[in-house]
């Protein structure tokens, strides 16, 4: 279809010059009857109008098919992302995959519009040359020669552009990936005061990118130069040859202007060919990237035999001699695993950090490559990952996860997963919207939601990856009893529980002990004790430690287990648990204030805009859709843009532009005078003068154009916009010069044009905004899917997610399709205005033909023929310019968001050895998260002496984490002050403060880069220091076993280290910085008991003379601290040494009782 329309249009293009020829003849020939002139004029108008309609029908078809291709590509990428193996995931980061979806899919779409040019351009060239030959004879070849010379030049430039393109895409991928990580880990960056090191990294990538961009800009400048010169040089050489070859060759109006019109037609295919070629080149680059991605290895779900549950009793999981690896190139992670799980059994999997416990579950989910062996599972599977994956949807939707709601069962599930208290705290109960990655839930809450999702789906086999590590002891106990344990909801299901917690082991049917990817022991609790192996030894050590901890009990222990070896005295455990819970508290606290717990910049939350009174329960939405601004982009934005480029350069380029166009008009006007030279004895006088002036004007035109591009590097669009604008104005001037009477007609046409344009730009701008706003959900849903892909596969929900993604893409296309149609609507109307200009230019020249020279007629009509094209471009470009300047507008808006306090205040810089004692004093300290919210800390007064070890405890939401946020000035105080060693921390620069305090945060965040960079981004410590800190953090053996040692590349988010190892890396960071004040925010939630003990002793010995503040969930970790501060609702309710508090029988006592310590 599109083929036919295009061919039709190409043929009609040539009608214009032919009619022009007749028209000029008519003006020359005084005898011709008037009707002929009117007939030609009408013909000109009709052919132009038909041309318009045909062309836009063609464009419409192309755009729509382009849109369909894009949809198909996105769909294919999404479906593939759900099945690719983990080793393949390594080679394409999330950033790259999202780029495939956004950038590369777009390229295919652009190609659809151009692809027909491959045959259409040569066709146009051939036709134009044929007509020129008829007109000027052999001297045409001078022009053709020039054109042909330009082709290889353009080809070379297209190739260069391609290489730059590839380089640019690469640095763009890197930059986006890094920025993503920085935003995800922004809280940690701030706590460590590492912003500068990362700023350097981003700028370094950006410099690379700019180098490439600069090179391609120079290339583009050269390109523009040849573009602008080519048509002119062609005309010059052709006319020159024509006039000099033979004295009798007369360049009259007819020949000159018909040829010029044809040359103008020639310009288009020759200009567009390089664009088509580069578009094809880009699409082929994209195709290659897509092909690589789509041909990645896929998981083989068949490697695991899934049987229906109907087959009666027997074993529900059978694994025989199976070996698994994460990627074929690596050594296997799990070797020769053999075990069977009878139906309805509860199996615990134990082992040290990194021994393959989580891998075992992944293997059962077919997430790993099975090298040999046999695995079969009966019935459906539910999976609870170690790091909960939460969707950006309401809490209820997260739990239902696409299942049918059954109220009674739902309530039971929520109750048994201990979510009821959380629902009371959340602003809209289970309808509360949860932010991306669950930002407004604490670690413990996320885990419980993730658990509830699994329980609700009522599967046959349950795989739990350490779900108890992130919750408080008493909550953990509740969950074990109500859900996982022998009396829980799931008592008749097959359950595999990875845990670090010893306390539940006696209630488990089978215990599997793992070490180094193998099963070292297996059996019931009693059997293993009787066997008296490593496990029994381990149990004895820890069980006693526990009893000694005043028998603090199962709850704690469990937690501990989850956390890792209990060894380190209870303190650590508590920490672990505590930590996550704290986050929870904080979260909840914030939630209850209807605000979002999000330290990330740029997530605005709309509640700020609502007065508190209106923040009713339903109104509580966390993520505000990026606001689509309405109305026109303000001029101030353009002004800012010009300022950013530099006013001098901006004005210079505008000035050069004007010169360029003046020169171009002058050269053509000169041509018209030349063609009117009288013919004497069959030759023209002054030929040489005329020719040289024509040449000079042309050259000046080209140099101006060139200067402009190099100087301004103003994006192409602004260039095109100005170009079209001047062309239109120029054409109008010429028409006025030729036929002054046209002055009557141009203003009204101009007005019509202006109104059409305003009307269009307004709607197109809104459509564009709607389109870009509806585009973000497509990518964020995709991002979310990538992060939770193992959960989606485990629950076999792929189809539902594919449907969701398709719906979101459709939503986006709903906004995109009208904008295509609007473009066509506009173009048709505009071209009609242009066609009217042609009509009147011709009409007036016919009416006043006796007073006009043929040269001027030719000039005015040939210019008016171009007007349509230029008008089209003018509107297209002005709207493009507006839509693209929206980017500048958003950047400006973002750069004007509120910033935190200055990093360094030189005048107030504390002495270098500060703080010496580490004495921290809170004086009447209050804190709130935002102006319109309640205080979360109320008038806290407490003094912590240097070297004291203080535990901070409290129920969820009591304000524990807020204390640390206040100490690091992540949130500035709302009243009162914090004094460290006599210096008020609010008076010094943030970096001066944050470099002097160390925190081990709750969620271990690593950045992609070498391990060394993660420990010491500023390169200020020697390798020996780093190795010492690794040894103290018990990572030395692990790191020295890595092939690259310290240069081991961590993947995005540290995915290639286990959670426990990441926690240890965070500990190593703290040991390396060795400051006087150490804050532990539940830092050991994910390590096994043994490691936990080691960490606790490290902290005791290494930070012996430091002030340590520990936020704890597991009380056993802080029982030997000098003091414990108990917070409740933002106030200190108890503060004394643990034994005293236990005797008081207050809040602390009741908490200890819950945890089974008393």
């Amino acid at each position: 279809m599109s083929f036919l329309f295009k061919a039709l249009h190409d043929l009609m293009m040539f009608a214009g010059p032919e009619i022009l020829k007749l028209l000029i003849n008519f003006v020359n020939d005084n005898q011709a009857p008037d009707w002929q002139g009117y007939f030609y004029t009408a013909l000109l108008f009709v052919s132009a109008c038909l041309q318009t309609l045909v062309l836009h029908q063609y464009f419409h078809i192309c755009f729509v098919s382009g849109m369909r291709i894009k949809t198909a590509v996105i769909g294919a990428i999404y479906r593939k992302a759900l099945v690719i193996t983990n080793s393949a995931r390594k080679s394409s980061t999330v950033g790259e995959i999202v780029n495939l979806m956004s950038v590369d899919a777009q390229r295919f779409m652009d190609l659809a519009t151009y692809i027909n040019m491959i045959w259409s351009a040569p066709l146009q060239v051939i036709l134009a040359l044929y007509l020129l030959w008829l007109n000027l004879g052999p001297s045409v070849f001078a022009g053709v020669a020039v054109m042909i010379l330009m082709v290889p030049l353009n080809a070379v430039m297209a190739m260069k552009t391609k290489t730059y393109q590839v380089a640019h895409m690469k640095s763009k991928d890197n930059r986006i990936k890094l920025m993503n990580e920085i935003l995800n880990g922004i809280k940690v960056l701030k706590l460590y005061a590492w912003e500068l090191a990362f700023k350097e990294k981003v700028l370094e990538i950006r410099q690379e990118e700019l180098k490439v961009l600069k090179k391609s800009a120079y290339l583009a400048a050269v390109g523009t130069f040849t573009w602008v010169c080519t048509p002119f040089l062609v005309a010059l050489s052709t006319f020159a040859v024509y006039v000099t070859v033979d004295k009798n060759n007369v360049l009259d109006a007819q020949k000159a202007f018909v040829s010029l019109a044809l040359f103008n037609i020639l310009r288009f295919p020759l200009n567009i060919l390089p664009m088509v070629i580069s578009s094809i080149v880009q699409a082929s680059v994209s195709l290659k990237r897509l092909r690589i991605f789509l041909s990645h290895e896929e998981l083989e779900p068949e490697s695991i035999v899934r049987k229906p549950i109907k087959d009666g009793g027997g074993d529900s999981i059978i694994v025989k001699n199976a070996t698994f690896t994460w990627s074929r190139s690596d050594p296997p992670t799990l070797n020769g695993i053999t075990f069977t799980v009878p139906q309805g059994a509860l199996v615990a999997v134990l082992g040290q950090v990194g021994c393959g416990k989580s891998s075992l579950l992944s293997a059962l989910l077919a997430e790993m490559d099975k090298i040999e062996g046999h695995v079969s599972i009966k019935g459906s599977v539910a999976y609870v990952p170690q790091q909960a994956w939460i969707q950006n949807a309401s809490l209820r939707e997260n739990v239902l996860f696409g299942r049918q709601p059954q109220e009674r069962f739902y309530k039971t599930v929520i109750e048994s997963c201990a979510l009821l208290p959380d629902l009371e705290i959340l602003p809209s109960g289970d309808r509360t919207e949860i932010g991306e990655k669950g930002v407004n839930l604490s670690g413990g809450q996320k885990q419980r939601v993730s658990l509830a999702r699994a329980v609700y789906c009522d599967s046959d086999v349950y795989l739990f990856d350490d779900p108890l590590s992130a919750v408080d002891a008493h909550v953990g106990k509740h969950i074990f009893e109500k859900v996982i344990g022998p009396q829980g909801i799931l008592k008749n299901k097959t359950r595999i529980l990875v845990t670090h917690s010893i306390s539940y082991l006696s209630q488990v049917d089978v215990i599997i002990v793992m070490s180094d990817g193998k099963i070292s022991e297996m059996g019931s609790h009693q059997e293993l004790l009787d066997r008296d192996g490593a496990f029994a030894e381990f149990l004895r050590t820890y069980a006693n430690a526990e009893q000694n901890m005043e028998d603090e009990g199962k709850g704690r222990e469990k937690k501990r287990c989850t956390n890792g070896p209990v060894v380190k005295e209870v303190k650590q455990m508590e920490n672990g648990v505590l930590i996550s819970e704290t986050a929870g508290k904080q979260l909840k606290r914030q939630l209850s204030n209807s605000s979002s717990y999000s330290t990330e910049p740029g997530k605005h939350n709309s509640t700020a805009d609502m007065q508190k009174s209106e923040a009713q329960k339903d109104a509580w939405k966390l993520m505000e859709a990026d606001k689509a601004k309405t109305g026109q982009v303000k001029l101030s934005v353009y002004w800012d843009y010009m300022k950013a480029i530099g006013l001098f350069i901006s004005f210079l380029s505008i000035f050069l532009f004007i010169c360029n166009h003046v020169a171009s008009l002058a050269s053509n006007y000169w041509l018209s005078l030349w063609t009117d030279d009288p013919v004497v004895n069959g030759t023209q006088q002054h030929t040489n003068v005329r020719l040289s002036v024509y040449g000079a004007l042309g050259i000046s035109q080209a140099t101006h154009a060139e200067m402009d591009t190099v100087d301004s590097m103003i994006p192409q669009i602004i260039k095109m916009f100005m170009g079209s604008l001047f062309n239109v104005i120029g054409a109008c001037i010429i028409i006025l010069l030729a036929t002054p009477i046209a002055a009557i007609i141009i203003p009204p046409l101009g007005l019509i044009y202006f109104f059409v344009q305003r009307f269009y730009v307004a709607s197109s701008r809104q459509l564009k905004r709607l389109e870009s706003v509806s585009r973000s959900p497509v990518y964020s849903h995709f991002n979310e899917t990538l992060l939770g892909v193992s959960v989606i596969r485990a629950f076999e929900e792929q189809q539902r997610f594919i449907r969701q993604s398709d719906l979101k893409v459709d939503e986006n296309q709903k906004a995109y399709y009208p904008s295509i149609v609007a473009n066509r609507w506009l173009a048709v109307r505009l071209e009609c205005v242009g066609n009217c200009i042609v009509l009147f230019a011709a009409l007036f020249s016919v009416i006043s033909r006796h007073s006009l020279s043929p040269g001027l007629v030719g000039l005015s009509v040939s210019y008016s023929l171009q007007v349509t094209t230029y008008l089209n471009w003018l509107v297209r470009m002005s709207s493009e310019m507006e839509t693209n300047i929206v980017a500048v507008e958003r950047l400006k808006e973002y750069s004007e968001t509120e910033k935190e306090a200055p990093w360094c205040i030189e005048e107030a810089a504390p002495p270098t050895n500060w703080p010496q004692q580490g004495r921290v004093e809170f004086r009447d300290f209050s804190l709130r998260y935002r102006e319109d919210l309640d205080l979360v800390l109320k008038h806290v007064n407490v003094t912590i002496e240097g070297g004291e070890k203080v535990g901070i405890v409290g129920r969820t939401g009591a304000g524990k984490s807020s204390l640390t946020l206040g100490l690091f000035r992540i949130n500035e105080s709302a009243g009162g002050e914090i004094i460290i060693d006599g210096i008020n921390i609010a008076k010094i620069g943030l970096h001066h403060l944050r470099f002097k305090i160390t925190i081990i945060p709750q969620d271990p965040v690593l950045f992609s880069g070498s391990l060394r960079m993660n420990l010491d981004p500023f390169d200020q410590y020697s390798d020996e220091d780093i190795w010492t800190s690794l040894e103290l953090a018990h990572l030395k053996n692990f790191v020295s076993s890595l092939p690259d040692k310290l240069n081991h590349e961590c993947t995005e988010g540290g995915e290639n280290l286990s959670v426990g190892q990441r926690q240890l890396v965070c500990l190593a960071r703290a040991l390396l910085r060795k400051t006087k004040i150490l804050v532990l925010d539940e830092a050991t939630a994910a390590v096994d008991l043994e490691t936990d003990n080691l960490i606790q002793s490290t902290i005791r010995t290494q930070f012996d003379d430091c002030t340590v503040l520990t936020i704890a969930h597991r009380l056993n970790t802080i029982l030997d601290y000098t003091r414990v501060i108990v917070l409740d609702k933002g106030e200190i309710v108890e503060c004394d040494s643990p034994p005293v508090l236990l005797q008081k029988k207050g809040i602390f006592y009741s908490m200890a009782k819950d945890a089974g310590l008393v």
Side-chain angles (χ1 to χ4, degrees), residues 893-915:
E893 194 185 316
Y894 185 71
S895 65
E896 285 162 5
T897 43
E898 206 179 328
K899 297 186 182 58
E900 55 177 0
W903 287 340
C904 296
I905 305 174
E906 288 311 325
E907 313 78 80
T912 43
N913 57 359
W914 172 87

Side-chain angles (χ1 to χ4, degrees), residues 12 106 114 128 351 386 426 474 490-491 725 848 926 985 1131:
M12 294 181 66
Q106 185 65 44
Y114 283 136
Q386 188 167 10
L426 293 171
H474 58 282
L490 304 178
K491 57 176 181 286
L725 180 68
S848 51
S926 306
I985 64 167
E1131 294 165 333

Side-chain angles (χ1 to χ4, degrees), residues 35 82 157 306 405 550 573 592 599 609 653 656 725 922 1035 1044 1079 1086:
W35 66 263
L82 285 171
M157 286 176 33
R306 296 292 275 273
E550 307 176 39
M573 266 173 133
S592 49
T599 38
D609 318 332
S653 56
L656 287 171
L725 180 68
F922 289 86
L1035 276 171
D1044 305 329
V1079 179

Side-chain angles (χ1 to χ4, degrees), residues 242-243 245-251 681-684:
Y242 182 71
V243 188
V245 170
D246 183 348
K247 280 272 187 270
N248 295 330
N249 279 354
V250 175
L251 189 61
N681 317 331
T683 66
Q684 281 174 317

Side-chain angles (χ1 to χ4, degrees), residues 802-819:
I802 289 175
R803 275 198 309 278
Q804 272 185 8
S805 169
D806 291 352
L807 271 174
K808 289 186 159 66
V809 175
D810 290 347
E811 278 301 310
N812 181 25
Q813 303 294 30
K814 267 182 211 163
Y816 180 70
Y817 182 74
S819 70

Side-chain angles (χ1 to χ4, degrees), residues 14 95 107-108 211 249 253 365 367 412 460 474 575 623 630 635 723 763 816 845 1090 1143-1144 1148:
F14 293 100
R107 293 232 176 111
F108 287 115
K211 256 192 228 144
N249 279 354
L365 291 169
E367 295 278 313
T412 321
D460 307 310
H474 58 282
N575 250 356
M623 300 284 291
T630 47
L635 277 174
S763 47
Y816 180 70
S845 48
E1090 222 166 310
Q1143 276 151 18
K1144 270 194 185 166
F1148 184 69

Side-chain angles (χ1 to χ4, degrees), residues 242-284:
Y242 182 71
V243 188
T244 47
V245 170
D246 183 348
K247 280 272 187 270
N248 295 330
N249 279 354
V250 175
L251 189 61
D252 56 13
Q254 175 193 336
K255 289 204 171 71
F257 285 104
V258 174
S259 313
L260 259 188
L262 287 168
F263 277 130
N264 276 331
I265 289 181
L266 255 185
R267 245 174 113 162
F268 178 70
L270 287 176
N271 282 348
I272 203 115
L273 265 179
M275 278 173 73
V276 176
I277 292 167
S278 76
S279 172
I280 291 175
V281 164
Q282 287 186 353
S284 71

Side-chain angles (χ1 to χ4, degrees), residues 69-70 72-78 80-81 84 91-109 169 172-173 176 283-296 779 782 786:
I69 292 174
K70 182 177 175 182
V73 170
I74 292 182
I77 294 174
Y78 190 85
K80 178 72 182 185
I84 102 186
S91 56
S92 322
T93 59
V94 177
E96 281 167 12
I97 301 178
V98 173
N99 253 348
L100 273 179
M101 221 181 204
S102 52
V103 184
D104 298 326
Q106 185 65 44
R107 293 232 176 111
F108 287 115
M109 190 167 107
M169 284 304 291
K172 192 158 143 191
D173 279 352
I176 293 176
S284 71
V285 171
S286 295
L287 193 60
K288 194 168 129 212
R289 287 169 50 131
L290 256 181
R291 205 177 56 233
I292 292 173
F293 177 69
L294 292 177
S295 54
H296 273 326
Y779 301 145
F782 184 53
L786 285 176

